[in-house]
Amino acid sequence: MAHFSRQFALCFLLFIILAYTAQAFTGTYGVNYGRLADNIPKPESVVTLLKAAKIKNVRIYDAEPTVLKAFSNSGIEISVCIPNEILADMSVYEDKAMAWVKDNVQPYLPDTHIRGISVGNEILGRGDASTSEVLLGAVKNVYSALDRLDLTNLIKVSTPHSEGVFANSYPPSSCVFKEDVIQYMKPLLQFFSQIDSPFYINAYPFLAYISDPQHIDLNYALFEKNPGIVDPKNNLHYDNMFEAQVDAAYAALAAAGFENMEVIVSETGWASQGDPNEIGASLKNAKTYNKNLRKRLLKNKGTPLRPKIPVKAYVFALFNENSKPGPTSERNFGLFKADGSIAYDIGFTGLKPSSASRSCSMVLALCVSMLLLVLTA
């Protein structure tokens, strides 16, 4: 009996440890909640929208108090971001990192489920040595602050990368980091492997397609039926570019000596509108990509190279953001319009019905009225 009690106690203790170990991602599907717009819903309404859509993972690009307060007691896992411009100070002064965590994270716990901190965004691969040099120091100081506050079991530290960190990505198995990136990337990966943090990559088949539409099959980029490609080095078959991009990241990690590190897609999406030279940016293609991506992620399966590791991704983005600079596409990645209605139907419901669903409702109401008139005549 005593032996059974000890076993039970150990199992219970293991359950408690696992329950309170930092899990920056629940399930496989998340969304990026950007707010560079002057016409999107208030954070409280956004929480209602996300809960209705059953979206459990959200990334924001800052640590805005009104957003963090609105997410209180929502059950939604949220990842916050430290702006690029303050990383230099944070890399040198540990007290700066501690002050940021105390001001922007600790006050909202535990009611707001902050589960991740992104230290900057797409720092490496830009060719800017000054910002690349400060990233690791900032990451270490943020982690140290969390450790001193006993929060490392709750919150993961990471940093997302663009495809610009890779020297090549085709075929996927040949992918390696750029020579001017690896000197910064390798020590960063070493630290992340010590603290069990994943590798975050912003993977956009949309950007790859518009850069070379003559040589890339649109159906391959959209998860639609196509012959796919075969990687000549390992004979793995890919029927969509998204999985090829994820496996390219895995290959680069393996080549750098970090074969066991998990890859999570921090951004992916498709623009519903673009400039004339942004071939492929359309409502139809955005709907197709995001609908097929969602179906793919909900299958909870891996990639050809890592079949046992379910792919996880944050879609970019929740809303069309009318204040974003750059080409037209930058303002048209939203799953939802600024008024909270769906931009296109991929299975979500908006805060208000779309014009299409309103028209359908009106037609249905008219048909019902006519039927009642016939029955009562």
Side-chain angles (χ1 to χ4, degrees):
M1 187 69 179
H3 177 68
F4 174 79
S5 298
R6 283 195 298 273
Q7 279 190 325
F8 178 80
L10 285 170
C11 289
F12 182 74
L13 180 61
L14 180 61
F15 171 79
I16 294 296
I17 291 170
L18 290 174
Y20 286 90
T21 298
Q23 295 293 330
F25 207 114
T26 299
T28 57
Y29 190 90
V31 70
N32 287 278
Y33 171 23
R35 302 188 321 283
L36 290 178
D38 58 15
N39 57 355
I40 59 176
K42 292 181 178 179
E44 293 78 10
S45 297
V46 172
V47 171
T48 301
L49 180 69
L50 292 168
K51 291 176 82 170
K54 294 183 171 58
I55 295 174
K56 298 177 181 178
N57 306 284
V58 172
R59 290 180 72 239
I60 60 175
Y61 293 91
D62 52 20
E64 170 58 39
T66 57
V67 174
L68 296 179
K69 287 175 184 174
F71 276 75
S72 175
N73 298 308
S74 68
I76 297 169
E77 315 281 90
I78 188 166
S79 179
V80 298
C81 183
I82 299 174
N84 292 358
E85 56 269 20
I86 68 172
L87 297 188
D89 275 354
M90 203 170 279
S91 70
V92 178
Y93 306 106
E94 192 173 335
D95 60 326
K96 298 276 187 182
M98 175 63 79
W100 193 93
V101 172
K102 281 187 173 181
D103 290 344
N104 296 283
V105 175
Q106 195 177 31
Y108 305 99
L109 300 172
D111 295 341
T112 299
H113 291 187
I114 300 173
R115 294 295 181 262
I117 298 177
S118 292
V119 181
N121 186 48
E122 297 188 341
I123 297 291
L124 303 183
R126 296 180 174 189
D128 184 350
S130 61
T131 53
S132 298
E133 287 168 355
V134 304
L135 180 58
L136 180 59
V139 165
K140 285 185 173 181
N141 283 343
V142 170
Y143 181 82
S144 176
L146 291 173
D147 190 37
R148 286 162 59 191
L149 296 171
D150 291 324
L151 293 175
T152 54
N153 66 328
L154 195 67
I155 299 170
K156 289 279 189 184
V157 178
S158 63
T159 187
H161 305 285
S162 74
E163 293 277 336
V165 298
F166 303 130
N168 61 296
S169 59
Y170 183 84
S173 62
S174 296
C175 186
V176 292
F177 292 111
K178 288 178 177 176
E179 285 188 18
D180 62 342
V181 167
I182 194 67
Q183 60 179 314
Y184 306 110
M185 184 67 79
K186 206 157 186 178
L188 183 68
L189 295 175
Q190 184 65 51
F191 183 68
F192 281 153
S193 69
Q194 292 169 7
I195 64 173
D196 194 29
S197 283
F199 179 83
Y200 282 86
I201 185 69
N202 296 341
Y204 284 93
F206 167 73
L207 295 179
Y209 177 74
I210 65 171
S211 69
D212 193 11
Q214 294 181 333
H215 296 100
I216 296 175
D217 185 345
L218 180 61
N219 287 331
Y220 177 65
L222 294 175
F223 297 92
E224 292 288 87
K225 189 175 181 180
N226 69 94
I229 67 156
V230 175
D231 190 317
K233 286 185 68 177
N234 54 23
N235 289 321
L236 291 177
H237 179 263
Y238 292 89
D239 59 14
N240 67 83
M241 185 183 290
F242 175 78
E243 289 184 5
Q245 290 183 330
V246 173
D247 275 355
Y250 274 121
L253 287 171
F258 300 92
E259 188 171 357
N260 296 323
M261 186 170 287
E262 182 184 11
V263 172
I264 294 179
V265 177
S266 37
E267 288 183 18
T268 188
W270 199 284
S272 58
Q273 187 179 340
D275 293 324
N277 65 326
E278 295 183 297
I279 299 170
S282 70
L283 195 68
K284 179 185 176 183
N285 289 342
K287 176 181 176 179
T288 300
Y289 180 80
N290 281 301
K291 189 171 185 176
N292 288 338
L293 172 69
R294 184 170 178 239
K295 285 166 60 178
R296 165 64 183 79
L297 293 174
L298 293 180
K299 288 179 180 178
N300 200 38
K301 68 172 194 173
T303 61
L305 188 62
R306 294 287 187 271
K308 295 182 180 179
I309 305 176
V311 181
K312 303 170 184 176
Y314 291 93
V315 176
F316 187 87
L318 191 57
F319 296 110
N320 288 332
E321 299 173 70
N322 67 350
S323 299
K324 287 198 76 174
T328 298
S329 62
E330 286 290 333
R331 294 176 287 283
N332 290 280
F333 273 92
L335 298 175
F336 297 89
K337 297 178 183 176
D339 63 4
S341 64
I342 56 174
Y344 38 80
D345 186 10
I346 63 168
F348 294 136
T349 55
L351 291 174
K352 56 175 67 177
S354 65
S355 57
S357 61
R358 282 197 299 270
S359 299
C360 289
S361 299
M362 290 171 66
V363 170
L364 180 61
L366 181 61
C367 290
V368 171
S369 299
M370 290 176 66
L371 181 61
L372 288 174
L373 285 172
V374 171
L375 291 173
T376 55

